[in-house]
Amino acid sequence: MKMNRRGLLGLFGAGAAGGYASAAMARQSPAVRFAHGVASGDPLSDRVILWTRITPPEGFVGPVMVQWRVLETVSETVVTSGHVQTGQDRDYTVKIDATGLKAGAEYRYQFFVGEVASPEGRTRTLAVNGVRPVNLAVVSCQLYPGGLFNAYEAIAALPELDAVVHLGDYIYEYGASASDYGMATGPMLNRIHEPAHEIISLSDYRIRHAQYKTDADLQSAHARAPFICVWDDHETANDAWMHGAENHQPETEGDFATRKATALQAYYEWMPIREAAAGQMREAINRSFHFGDLASLMMVETRLTGRTKALEYTSDLTAKEGPDGEPVLDIEAFAALRDDPSRAMMSSGQHSWLKNELAASKGTGRKWQVLGNQVVMARVAGPDVSRMMSAEQVAGLMAQIPEAYRDQFEQALFLFKMGLPFNLDAWDGYPADRERLYADFAEAGVKPIVLSGDSHAFWVNDLKDASGHRRAFELGTASVSSPSIADALGGFPLGQALMQANDEVVFCDQSAKGFVLLDLYEDRAEARLMAVSTIFAKPFETTVLARFNITPDEEISRL
């Protein structure tokens, strides 16, 4: 379909505030703006989170009273309303857990400060029973300087949408120097990170969240349907794990635990996500959502609660003396290190929780169990191109690679000849814990659909355990705007090479940008990989790159 920018934020009308806000409150209210739109999230059968942010006048530092209301979509009857105070202590964000709603119903909602009205949003609660089809849009990895958020314009225009599942990298922590990630395109698009330095402090993280939510397309998608979100690494720092991150240097950037707490505070302020329950760690955002009698969605956390440090080829793949006395790579020692049972992506507590949730969902008769998971789960070895091409073809390929990436690519090709994993920061870096997860699936009696982000690529994978038994199906979404490895490799068909090299990889496209549409029915699940034609201009085209059908306990088939 052909897409043009539309005034989707006003799709439902401005909603006059004059008769709703009291005259007394109007006289006392500052002249605020709703510059960051509205959002809803974490829907349950009787409640949903509503979110907005007030932009007060410059120099204003006092509290602001905000009114809110929820209306039935058809009758426009106000079903619940209230008021709440916000201020500097939460960066003037507003979050309401609107309760007392009907199951499986659509609603409209809006906020008011005096006579100033926010845009109006749409949301939906979850059904308690019935097998109505479930329509989910799956997104990940939106780098503001990387390109326009055209995927969100396409999502906002969808005629049927129950929820948007966001798998992380909602923001990125990098700065705006010429060498920073995304800055090859940021200046061209006038999308330069604020603040201009890498974000460390609470103020930094708040400013960065605020900048991303000024994007009109992201605002439109938030106003269209509830989001169900989980973070990945860039909401804190690149390649984060329990006690650190690749992009965190304690010597100059302080204690990682402090940075993590700061990042999570800003995340909870700025995202339409339910707050952690009393007594729970803020990092523990694994939670479940049940769509009537048809499906359950379990969101897992694989970064901050149980993950051990990722391995790196540069530091963990060592050399030993070869038969002729010359050093050779010690592949066996590296394999033993990677297979260490103590290496984990999730805590034992989260494993137990997930197994119980899967079994309970299966026990109720729900046909589908879906995992909202951050990183690719499939077993994916890097491609050995020497088996796919002649020496002359490989030489020609190398000539096409931009000079800045040629050495790295050549090193990667050398490692991949030995069957080493394509990505150690994914589940492939934690094979023992992946086997524990597959055992959880087997004990619960389910073959779930695993949703994955992070890789900036589309994937359809047939997940099998070490014994070759199918344990799940995987759908990986491309990025909204973050660059992929293929973007740096010229015309090299990386996706095709990965498909040829790996039995579990049914489909892979490493170049396209977009999102996944997952439609769940009683007898099948249909996945459409939706690609936008460009992230550098408007208008743009949205096309179905590929479509797959999944039937419970059967093969994946391409439609």
Side-chain angles (χ1 to χ4, degrees):
M1 57 185 147
K2 186 124 178 166
M3 301 294 300
N4 289 285
R5 180 173 295 279
R6 299 170 181 162
L8 285 168
L9 292 178
L11 184 63
F12 315 108
Y20 188 73
S22 70
M25 288 189 70
R27 287 193 299 271
Q28 297 167 7
S29 301
V32 306
R33 293 182 297 123
F34 290 91
H36 302 94
V38 299
S40 67
D42 276 16
L44 300 178
S45 62
D46 65 342
R47 67 191 62 200
V48 66
I49 296 293
L50 307 178
W51 179 94
T52 192
R53 198 261 181 171
I54 308 302
T55 302
E58 187 174 351
F60 182 86
V61 295
V64 176
M65 187 63 70
V66 182
Q67 290 183 292
W68 58 273
R69 68 180 183 186
V70 178
L71 302 88
E72 288 186 345
T73 298
V74 177
S75 69
E76 298 194 4
T77 303
V78 175
V79 296
T80 184
S81 62
H83 59 272
V84 64
Q85 183 174 284
T86 187
Q88 284 182 301
D89 61 325
R90 57 174 303 111
D91 202 23
Y92 289 98
T93 60
V94 176
K95 190 185 293 187
I96 304 297
D97 200 349
T99 60
L101 306 180
K102 296 178 182 177
E106 287 193 355
Y107 293 96
R108 296 156 49 202
Y109 62 94
Q110 198 167 19
F111 298 87
F112 305 88
V113 176
E115 297 182 346
V116 180
S118 75
E120 196 170 63
R122 292 166 64 184
T123 193
R124 167 180 279 278
T125 55
L126 304 185
V128 172
N129 48 44
V131 290
R132 175 188 172 276
V134 175
N135 311 112
L136 303 175
V138 185
V139 294
S140 179
C141 304
Q142 54 200 54
L143 179 67
Y144 188 80
L148 304 177
F149 291 172
N150 287 342
Y152 282 124
E153 184 179 337
I155 287 170
L158 291 171
E160 299 290 336
L161 183 61
D162 289 292
V164 177
V165 180
H166 200 297
L167 300 175
D169 294 345
Y170 189 97
I171 65 167
Y172 281 75
E173 83 276 18
Y174 300 116
S177 65
S179 60
D180 276 323
Y181 190 53
M183 288 305 291
T185 51
M188 173 184 71
L189 297 169
N190 194 28
R191 292 170 73 89
I192 298 173
H193 266 154
E194 297 173 358
H197 56 267
E198 182 181 331
I199 55 176
I200 300 291
S201 69
L202 178 58
S203 176
D204 291 342
Y205 280 98
R206 284 170 165 175
I207 291 169
R208 187 63 56 83
H209 272 281
Q211 181 184 33
Y212 276 58
K213 275 200 171 69
T214 60
D215 184 273
D217 295 325
L218 179 56
Q219 287 189 23
S220 296
H222 271 301
R224 170 66 181 86
F227 273 51
I228 298 173
C229 302
V230 67
W231 54 65
D232 191 28
D233 52 342
H234 290 289
E235 287 86 350
T236 48
N238 182 55
D239 289 357
W241 54 290
M242 278 193 298
H243 305 304
E246 179 277 332
N247 193 30
H248 180 78
Q249 292 72 45
E251 302 81 10
T252 56
E253 296 172 340
D255 178 55
F256 180 72
T258 300
R259 183 178 187 178
K260 179 173 68 173
T262 293
L264 296 192
Q265 179 176 338
Y267 185 91
Y268 275 107
E269 289 171 349
W270 278 87
M271 296 296 290
I273 184 174
R274 192 164 276 106
E275 300 287 331
Q280 287 188 348
M281 294 190 305
R282 301 196 93 187
E283 295 96 318
I285 56 170
N286 50 291
R287 60 213 195 279
S288 296
F289 301 89
H290 305 295
F291 295 81
D293 296 329
L294 185 62
S296 296
L297 170 65
M298 293 82 173
M299 303 294 285
V300 298
E301 201 286 323
T302 62
R303 281 290 174 188
L304 304 178
T305 57
R307 182 191 277 245
T308 53
K309 189 176 185 297
L311 297 177
E312 298 179 23
Y313 288 125
T314 54
S315 58
D316 297 303
L317 180 55
T318 57
K320 65 180 180 179
E321 186 176 305
D324 58 359
E326 294 296 318
V328 295
L329 292 177
D330 194 341
I331 302 299
E332 294 78 11
F334 182 77
L337 186 61
R338 190 168 71 97
D339 290 336
D340 185 340
S342 69
R343 297 187 48 70
M345 289 277 276
M346 302 194 315
S347 67
S348 59
Q350 189 174 181
H351 272 284
S352 296
W353 168 84
L354 179 59
K355 182 170 64 175
N356 291 337
E357 289 291 304
L358 291 169
S361 176
K362 175 79 171 181
T364 64
R366 294 189 179 98
K367 298 288 186 180
W368 299 104
Q369 289 74 41
V370 182
L371 261 65
N373 151 79
Q374 289 72 64
V375 296
V376 172
M377 191 171 288
R379 188 179 286 104
V380 182
D384 180 1
V385 299
S386 66
R387 295 186 178 184
M388 307 172 187
M389 300 178 174
S390 68
E392 292 77 15
Q393 289 174 319
V394 173
L397 167 65
M398 293 302 300
Q400 296 176 40
I401 304 300
E403 189 173 352
Y405 301 101
R406 203 167 294 163
D407 287 346
Q408 289 175 277
F409 187 63
E410 192 168 20
Q411 292 169 11
L413 292 185
F414 176 72
L415 294 176
F416 294 158
K417 282 185 178 182
M418 304 171 197
L420 292 171
F422 183 63
N423 182 6
L424 291 173
D425 191 53
W427 280 91
D428 247 348
Y430 305 81
D433 204 31
R434 180 170 56 196
E435 289 301 304
R436 287 192 287 267
L437 182 63
Y438 288 167
D440 294 339
F441 296 168
E443 286 189 48
V446 300
K447 289 185 174 71
I449 295 175
V450 176
L451 306 177
S452 302
D454 182 67
S455 70
H456 308 175
F458 282 119
W459 302 83
V460 178
N461 299 322
D462 193 2
L463 302 183
K464 298 175 182 177
D465 65 17
S467 300
H469 295 99
R470 177 180 293 112
R471 293 305 177 197
F473 306 104
E474 181 170 35
L475 303 172
T477 183
S479 67
V480 170
S481 62
S482 302
S484 68
I485 297 173
D487 293 335
L489 298 183
F492 178 60
L494 180 57
Q496 287 292 328
L498 290 166
M499 291 167 61
Q500 187 173 338
N502 294 280
D503 292 338
E504 290 191 18
V505 180
V506 178
F507 179 88
C508 182
D509 186 294
Q510 291 275 331
S511 300
K513 305 294 182 286
F515 58 100
V516 170
L517 282 180
L518 176 61
D519 300 320
L520 301 171
Y521 305 93
E522 190 170 12
D523 61 340
R524 73 190 191 283
E526 183 177 319
R528 285 172 284 169
L529 313 184
M530 307 296 294
V532 296
S533 59
T534 180
I535 57 171
F536 302 121
K538 290 181 182 291
F540 62 94
E541 301 283 338
T542 305
T543 57
V544 180
L545 181 68
R547 187 168 61 173
F548 288 83
N549 199 64
I550 303 172
T551 303
D553 299 323
E554 298 294 335
E555 301 284 343
I556 298 175
S557 59
R558 187 166 182 175
L559 301 176

